[in-house]
Amino acid sequence: DAGVTQSPTHLIKTRGQQVTLRCSPKSGHDTVSWYQQALGQGPQFIFQYYEEEERQRGNFPDRFSGHQFPNYSSELNVNALLLGDSALYLCASNRGVAGNTIYFGEGSWLTVV
Amino acid sequence: GEDVEQSLFLSVREGDSSVINCTYTDSSSTYLYWYKQEPGAGLQLLTYIFSNMDMKQDQRLTVLLNKKDKHLSLRIADTQTGDSAIYFCAGGYNKLIFGAGTRLAVHP
């Protein structure tokens, strides 16, 4: 049973560029959430997708957007990258909108130079 | 607002028990979680407790929940060097609020 898978694992981008990160949820899960973890901090909630719609959003600017596909996989897009966007981006999945056990992937390390 | 607080560092001797503590403010949490993060890795779900439970035991792990005081703890019995990592507690209804993490160092 595959867990939550994310790609790419590492990437380097230049300030002002755009990036797309991808996530496949754990088998049987239909809800995907994205978190940002800056160095030395706990993860911060970005947004959650369920039934291909954004259901809840954290305190992140509109430069952060996402999408969920019919197969429940998801993308996180970040436009106009800033140095401060350098972080580990974690995808989490669970079944249903709320509650239930939440599993995380290994993350995508983004470095903005 | 919602907040989760943890002590930042814990050092224990190999073979001893470790107790990591956490306090939270969000009463709507359905589950409360403990995750482990090793260097350069993602979050590994260690265990979780349903909000209407007081205790959960899972092999070497024991979770205690005091809802009145909004206090959660994770006890690791017979701590090993492989347990050295950062431990996060998290709670919430459909989005998780994380603490800053407790760095557990296990020494011989």
Side-chain angles (χ1 to χ4, degrees):
Chain A
D1 176 22
V4 180
T5 58
Q6 294 186 241
S7 64
T9 54
H10 294 83
L11 69 168
I12 301 173
K13 291 287 188 178
T14 303
R15 192 169 44 182
Q17 284 189 316
Q18 180 261 348
V19 68
T20 297
L21 308 177
R22 296 175 177 82
C23 172
S24 292
K26 183 177 168 61
S27 177
H29 288 184
D30 54 10
T31 301
V32 173
S33 301
W34 287 91
Y35 291 77
Q36 180 196 65
Q37 186 180 20
L39 205 59
Q41 298 182 22
Q44 301 283 322
F45 175 80
I46 303 175
F47 44 52
Q48 180 188 74
Y49 278 84
Y50 174 69
E51 292 186 336
E52 302 180 50
E53 290 189 12
E54 183 182 294
R55 297 290 174 165
Q56 191 164 359
R57 189 178 183 93
N59 189 24
F60 279 82
D62 292 344
R63 297 187 298 109
F64 290 76
S65 63
H67 188 77
Q68 185 179 35
F69 299 94
N71 67 352
Y72 309 121
S73 67
S74 175
E75 288 182 349
L76 164 66
N77 300 291
V78 186
N79 293 322
L81 284 166
L82 303 174
L83 297 179
D85 294 331
S86 295
L88 176 66
Y89 288 85
L90 293 161
C91 175
S93 75
N94 60 280
R95 190 168 56 225
V97 177
N100 296 311
T101 318
I102 300 174
Y103 292 87
F104 283 79
E106 288 296 309
S108 294
W109 286 96
L110 171 65
T111 302
V112 182
V113 298
Chain B
E2 302 154 339
D3 194 21
V4 174
E5 293 189 359
Q6 301 178 238
S7 52
L8 293 182
F9 188 74
L10 176 66
S11 178
V12 299
R13 185 170 299 172
E14 192 173 13
D16 287 351
S17 292
S18 307
V19 179
I20 303 172
N21 295 299
C22 170
T23 57
Y24 62 95
T25 59
D26 185 1
S27 300
S28 68
S29 299
T30 305
Y31 291 97
L32 291 150
Y33 298 84
W34 285 102
Y35 291 91
K36 176 183 180 183
Q37 187 173 42
E38 299 186 57
L43 297 180
Q44 175 193 348
L45 176 63
L46 274 182
T47 187
Y48 58 93
I49 186 167
F50 195 55
S51 58
N52 68 354
M53 297 171 63
D54 298 322
M55 185 182 86
K56 179 180 180 182
Q57 191 151 359
D58 185 359
Q59 299 180 4
R60 292 191 298 126
L61 306 178
T62 302
V63 179
L64 295 178
L65 175 59
N66 181 327
K67 290 182 287 296
K68 174 176 170 290
D69 295 337
K70 297 185 179 177
H71 182 266
L72 182 73
S73 69
L74 173 70
R75 178 178 179 271
I76 306 173
D78 187 26
T79 311
Q80 302 297 308
T81 54
D83 295 322
S84 294
I86 299 176
Y87 291 79
F88 291 96
C89 76
Y93 184 57
N94 59 358
K95 68 175 188 182
L96 293 183
I97 306 298
F98 284 82
T102 298
R103 182 177 296 274
L104 174 64
V106 183
H107 56 87

